[in-house]
Amino acid sequence: MSKVIPYGKQDINQEDIDAVVKALKSDYLTQGPRIKEFEEAFAEYVGSNYAVAVSNGTAALHLCVLALGLNEGKKVITTPITFAASANCIRYCGGDVVFVDIDPKTYLIDLEEVEKLLSKHQKGTFSGIIPVDFAGRPVDLNKFRNLAEEYNLWIIEDACHAPGGYFVDSKKQISKCGNGQFADLSIFSFHPVKHIASGEGGMITTNDEKLYNKLLTLRTHGISRTEGNYKNSVEFATGESGLLDYPGWYMEMQELGFNYRLTDIQAALGKSQLSRANEGLKRRREIAAKYFSVFSGKDFIRGQSGIVEGHAYHLYVIEVDNRLGLYNHLREQSILAQIHYIPCHLMPYYREFGWKEGDLPHSENYYRHCISLPMYPGLSDNEVEYVIEQVLKFFE
Ligand SMILES: *Cc1c(COP(=O)(O)O)cnc(C)c1O
C-alpha cells in the first residue's frame, strides 16, 4: 500500500462543499444565521440547553475560565495526558495548573487522586477542575460533580475528543458529553482531526443561562447589545434629553472580551458535518471493535483503549514495549501512528513551575508505551486490516 494512512482525518463530502458555497453566496460571512443554526443543532446533538460557537477549542477553554473565574487560591486541577490547551487556559487567566495523575486503566484523571489532593488543602484553595474525556472515553462527571459540590469547585469538561460519547450516571441514566447536567461548561473542537470538522472551530455547551449570556458577550469584545443591560443613560446614548429609548446604533463594551467568533462559512461546514456525526461515531466503534478483538490476549499489548460503553473513539491507543520501534516500522509502511500525549507537566514551559519527572508516575509510564493507531470514519476495512497486519508483523 503506497497511500499514506494518517492517525486521523476529516471526511468532506459534496453536501459539505455545497453548504459552504451556499454560505459564501449569502449575505453573511460571519455572525449570520448559520451560527445560530449550528449552535442549536449542536445543543440538540449533545442534549444541552445552550451552545456558543467560537473560533476554536482553545478559545472555548479560555472563555470558560474567564466566565467562571478564579478565586483567591487561583489553582485549577487538570490531567497531564491531554493537549496542552486544557492546561494553558488556566495560565491565560493567571491561575496555577495543578496536574493530577491518571488512572492507568482508563487513562483519565484519577478521581481518588483528586480527592486526596483536595482533602489535604483548605476549601477555597482550588477554583475548579478541567477533566478531559481523553481519547473519547467519557469521564464520570457525576462523581466529579459530587466532589465539586463538597469543595465548591466549578467543572469545565474538555470534551474535544468525545462528541456523541456518554457515561451512565448514578441513576443509571445515559449522560451525554456536553449535556450540561454535571459540568458547568463543556467544550468541543472542530479541528479537522476531531469528529466534526469546520477548519478551525469550537463550541461551548451549558444549561446555565447566565453563563450562556456572559459567553456571548465575551466572544465578541465584551460588547452588550441588550437594552435592559445598559449602564450608560439614554440621555448619554442619544445625545438628547427627555427620550426613553436607546438609539438603534447603541451598544456598550462592558467588560474585556475577545474576538473569538466563528464565521458563517465555518458554521455551514460544521452543521453539515454534524448531520453525519452519528454515522462517523458508529464507524469509529466498528474500527475499535476490530482492533480490540485482534489485540486482546496478545502478550505484546500492555494495555489498550478497549471496548467501553459510550466511548467516542477519537483515538484508539495501544500500549506496547518497543513503542519507538513500532512507530518507526509503521512509518516505513506509510502508517502515521501518533503519540497522545507527551505529558503536559514535563513540557519545558511547565517544568519552569517546578514539575519534574517522577511527579506523576502513571502518566509518565503511560507516555513511554502509548501509541495511537489510525482511527477515522473514512478508514476502510482493508486499511484497518493492513494496520493490524503491520502491528502483528512487527511483534511476531
Ligand atoms: C484539540 C483539542 C483542544 C484544542 O482545540 P483547538 O480547536 O485545536 O484549539 C483542546 N483540548 C483537547 C483535548 C483537544 O484535543
Side-chain angles (χ1 to χ4, degrees), residues 9 68 103 105 157 366 375:
K9 193 182 172 194
L68 291 163
D103 174 338
K105 288 193 279 299
E157 174 192 21
Y366 165 83
M375 169 59 82

Side-chain angles (χ1 to χ4, degrees), residues 56-58 61 82-83 85-86 132 158 160-161 189 191 194 201 341:
N56 56 64
T58 305
L61 283 162
T82 184
F83 184 58
S86 314
V132 179
D158 183 338
C160 284
H161 295 184
S189 162
H191 180 280
K194 312 289 163 78
Y341 288 97

Side-chain angles (χ1 to χ4, degrees), residues 253-328:
M253 190 209 124
Q254 296 182 333
E255 59 188 318
L256 193 60
F258 295 82
N259 176 356
Y260 280 166
R261 295 185 297 256
L262 191 74
T263 66
D264 264 48
I265 308 164
Q266 293 166 312
L269 179 54
K271 189 177 168 232
S272 178
Q273 289 259 303
L274 179 61
S275 68
R276 298 199 306 284
N278 274 327
E279 272 168 58
L281 194 54
K282 197 168 148 253
R283 177 65 187 151
R284 286 172 186 274
R285 287 177 175 152
E286 278 169 16
I287 296 168
K290 188 78 202 163
Y291 283 146
F292 180 72
S293 70
V294 174
F295 295 136
S296 36
K298 291 276 187 280
D299 56 4
F300 59 86
I301 297 284
R302 299 169 61 115
Q304 58 179 325
S305 289
I307 298 301
V308 176
E309 188 183 356
H311 201 306
Y313 296 106
H314 165 58
L315 304 173
Y316 196 92
V317 178
I318 58 173
E319 292 175 90
V320 296
D321 271 329
N322 186 358
R323 191 263 312 271
L324 180 60
L326 177 61
Y327 173 85
N328 287 334

Side-chain angles (χ1 to χ4, degrees), residues 144-322:
F144 278 95
R145 173 46 67 191
N146 297 341
L147 212 53
E149 292 302 314
E150 192 179 340
Y151 290 92
N152 197 21
L153 309 171
W154 46 247
I155 300 174
I156 299 169
E157 174 192 21
D158 183 338
C160 284
H161 295 184
Y166 68 85
F167 71 97
V168 178
D169 70 16
S170 63
K171 296 196 181 94
K172 300 269 178 279
Q173 299 292 311
I174 282 180
S175 186
K176 287 183 89 176
C177 297
N179 70 359
Q181 215 189 329
F182 298 108
D184 296 278
L185 297 167
S186 298
I187 72 108
F188 297 85
S189 162
F190 307 125
H191 180 280
V193 97
K194 312 289 163 78
H195 290 53
I196 297 160
S198 71
E200 296 279 353
M203 194 73 82
I204 307 168
T205 61
T206 185
N207 287 349
D208 185 319
E209 191 181 0
K210 260 208 188 124
L211 285 173
Y212 170 64
N213 285 318
K214 197 168 172 75
L215 291 166
L216 290 181
T217 308
L218 286 171
R219 172 175 72 179
T220 178
H221 309 282
I223 287 174
S224 170
R225 292 182 189 278
T226 317
E227 178 137 359
N229 280 344
Y230 291 152
K231 304 202 166 159
N232 286 331
S233 66
V234 178
E235 187 170 353
F236 164 76
T238 54
E240 297 186 30
S241 57
L243 296 174
L244 292 174
D245 293 323
Y246 287 85
W249 69 75
Y250 196 66
M251 55 83 171
E252 280 182 358
M253 190 209 124
Q254 296 182 333
E255 59 188 318
L256 193 60
F258 295 82
N259 176 356
Y260 280 166
R261 295 185 297 256
L262 191 74
T263 66
D264 264 48
I265 308 164
Q266 293 166 312
L269 179 54
K271 189 177 168 232
S272 178
Q273 289 259 303
L274 179 61
S275 68
R276 298 199 306 284
N278 274 327
E279 272 168 58
L281 194 54
K282 197 168 148 253
R283 177 65 187 151
R284 286 172 186 274
R285 287 177 175 152
E286 278 169 16
I287 296 168
K290 188 78 202 163
Y291 283 146
F292 180 72
S293 70
V294 174
F295 295 136
S296 36
K298 291 276 187 280
D299 56 4
F300 59 86
I301 297 284
R302 299 169 61 115
Q304 58 179 325
S305 289
I307 298 301
V308 176
E309 188 183 356
H311 201 306
Y313 296 106
H314 165 58
L315 304 173
Y316 196 92
V317 178
I318 58 173
E319 292 175 90
V320 296
D321 271 329
N322 186 358

Side-chain angles (χ1 to χ4, degrees), residues 100-103 108-118 129 139-145 147:
V100 169
D101 213 353
I102 59 165
D103 174 338
L108 304 177
I109 191 167
D110 189 331
L111 180 87
E112 280 174 30
E113 289 297 319
V114 173
E115 199 161 9
K116 248 192 256 169
L117 174 74
L118 290 169
I129 175 162
V139 168
D140 186 333
L141 286 177
N142 196 165
K143 291 188 176 145
F144 278 95
R145 173 46 67 191
L147 212 53

Side-chain angles (χ1 to χ4, degrees), residues 294-295 298 300 387-396:
V294 174
F295 295 136
K298 291 276 187 280
F300 59 86
V387 171
I388 289 170
E389 187 187 305
Q390 289 304 327
V391 173
L392 296 180
K393 194 169 162 197
F394 178 73
F395 287 104
E396 288 169 355

